[in-house]
Amino acid sequence: MVRAPSPHRLAPRKQAHPEEQARFESFLRTRQLKYTGERRALLDAVFASKHHFDADSLHLALRQKGQEISRATVYRTLDLLVQCGLVRKQSLGDQHAHYEAVHGDEHHDHLICMNCNRIIEFYRPDLEAMQEAICEEFEFKPLHHSLQIFGLCKLCQAKGVDGLELATRVSQLHA
Amino acid sequence: MVRAPSPHRLAPRKQAHPEEQARFESFLRTRQLKYTGERRALLDAVFASKHHFDADSLHLALRQKGQEISRATVYRTLDLLVQCGLVRKQSLGDQHAHYEAVHGDEHHDHLICMNCNRIIEFYRPDLEAMQEAICEEFEFKPLHHSLQIFGLCKLCQAKGVDGLELATRVSQLHA
DNA sequence: GTTGATGCAAACTATTTGCAGGCAG
DNA sequence: CTGCCTGCAAATAGTTTGCATCAAC
């Protein structure tokens, strides 16, 4: 099934994600947990995927790479990765959780197209600052936040998708 | 149980929520749906509750008022109210949906205390404006949005609740 | 009278958990 | 070896749905 890898090419960082792996290992060690093959595979798969994913598609992706890992373990490991701060868990209007790998300290919010389901990520320091200001005003100590804007992306507007038609679905959103 | 109402005082809008009721009725009529006793009771209960609630507590509240309405009907009717725009459905970090009555066109965002679960609502036009600006930049047509800031409220900070202790739970958030 | 609504229980989806055997440290 | 880990299947939680009966128009 798999083409034999060219032995001539330099192995481009064979160790999939060394930094994340190190962080996960140390996280596990401090809790006397074990770095098993399944956990390694999960970590790799998570950091291989560029954007949002859900538990099921991750499970499927692993299976397609020949990694047989049970759903239960997928959930359990995702949980560890979340606790460890390597993964973020979010609700994006669906009835199931979405996850995304955290690269560095980067944070972003989402524009979600209600027609094609495309998710556009953005980060605006001034928006973050304004949120900080609001929290100060309420003497509220923020630890985390989540902003999602639902609507129509440029392409879907061009396609002439009817905003009103979607208006009904807007209110149905579970977010 | 109920004190006899003073007959001298002007009946302060006896019809629980006339505007909302009218809107719901017309919504139903245009779809050839029926305005049943259950739907009326649900509508009343929803607009009686000041803030956020979930399907189950609504069901319970009705039951305690002597209204026996099945869970299925609660869900079905909430759905109608949402479609009709009288109720908003949201995910506030829990695994179940939250709902809130929509009063007029008012919109607000949430500060959610991770210790006592208190929900503080706020509305900031400048924040909304900034979001609009971001959407324009991406040529994205916003139809709806949701901002939740998780953290510690003033009181819980004073109580000396440990932010770090919560840091773990932060990442667990399903939002 | 029609047609849609309700309650019940069963079905479903996403996720969690108990347990017996397996593997990392 | 010891204790954590895994897969499995059963358990949960929240929500949805099929169906026979009932009520609104």
Side-chain angles (χ1 to χ4, degrees), chain B residues 34 36 38-39 68 70 73 76:
Chain B
K34 292 165 183 174
T36 66
E38 286 84 352
R39 289 180 180 169
E68 277 301 333
S70 76
T73 297
R76 283 189 277 231

Side-chain angles (χ1 to χ4, degrees), chain A residues 91-134:
Chain A
S91 165
L92 295 177
D94 261 327
Q95 27 289 314
H96 59 268
H98 289 235
Y99 298 84
E100 65 180 359
V102 174
H103 300 92
D105 277 343
E106 143 260 323
H107 158 83
H108 56 252
D109 295 310
H110 300 109
L111 301 177
I112 303 173
C113 179
M114 304 186 62
N115 187 245
C116 66
N117 294 313
R118 193 156 70 103
I119 296 175
I120 303 168
E121 300 172 350
F122 69 90
Y123 175 74
R124 290 284 299 256
D126 46 355
L127 186 66
E128 309 279 322
M130 190 174 287
Q131 290 179 32
E132 291 287 337
I134 292 170

Side-chain angles (χ1 to χ4, degrees), chain B residues 34-158:
Chain B
K34 292 165 183 174
Y35 192 42
T36 66
E38 286 84 352
R39 289 180 180 169
R40 180 188 315 260
L42 256 299
L43 183 73
D44 278 6
V46 164
F47 281 90
S49 83
K50 275 299 172 216
H51 291 292
H52 299 270
F53 57 90
D54 56 49
D56 229 46
S57 44
L58 181 59
H59 179 236
L60 191 66
L62 283 162
R63 164 160 303 203
Q64 287 176 340
K65 285 202 303 181
Q67 316 263 23
E68 277 301 333
I69 292 179
S70 76
R71 245 185 211 74
T73 297
V74 170
Y75 280 109
R76 283 189 277 231
T77 306
L78 277 175
D79 222 44
L80 288 174
L81 288 169
V82 166
Q83 282 174 51
C84 165
L86 284 168
V87 165
R88 219 173 267 131
K89 186 178 185 180
Q90 325 178 264
S91 166
L92 294 177
D94 261 328
Q95 28 289 314
H96 58 269
H98 289 237
Y99 298 85
E100 66 179 359
V102 174
H103 300 92
D105 277 344
E106 143 260 322
H107 158 84
H108 56 253
D109 295 310
H110 300 108
L111 300 177
I112 303 172
C113 179
M114 304 186 61
N115 188 245
C116 66
N117 294 313
R118 192 156 70 101
I119 295 176
I120 303 168
E121 300 172 350
F122 68 91
Y123 174 74
R124 291 286 299 257
D126 45 355
L127 187 67
E128 309 278 322
M130 191 174 287
Q131 290 178 32
E132 291 286 336
I134 292 169
C135 286
E136 260 176 54
E137 199 172 295
F138 284 93
E139 300 185 65
F140 186 89
K141 181 178 177 182
L143 293 170
H144 170 68
H145 78 260
S146 157
L147 167 63
Q148 298 140 37
I149 303 181
F150 299 91
L152 286 179
C153 72
K154 186 180 179 181
L155 291 170
C156 288
Q157 287 171 63

Side-chain angles (χ1 to χ4, degrees), chain A residues 34 36 38-39 68-70 73 76:
Chain A
K34 293 167 182 173
T36 64
E38 286 84 352
R39 288 179 179 168
E68 275 303 331
I69 293 179
S70 78
T73 297
R76 284 188 278 232

Side-chain angles (χ1 to χ4, degrees), chain A residues 68-83:
Chain A
E68 275 303 331
I69 293 179
S70 78
R71 245 186 211 74
T73 297
V74 170
Y75 280 109
R76 284 188 278 232
T77 306
L78 277 174
D79 223 43
L80 288 173
L81 289 169
V82 166
Q83 282 175 52

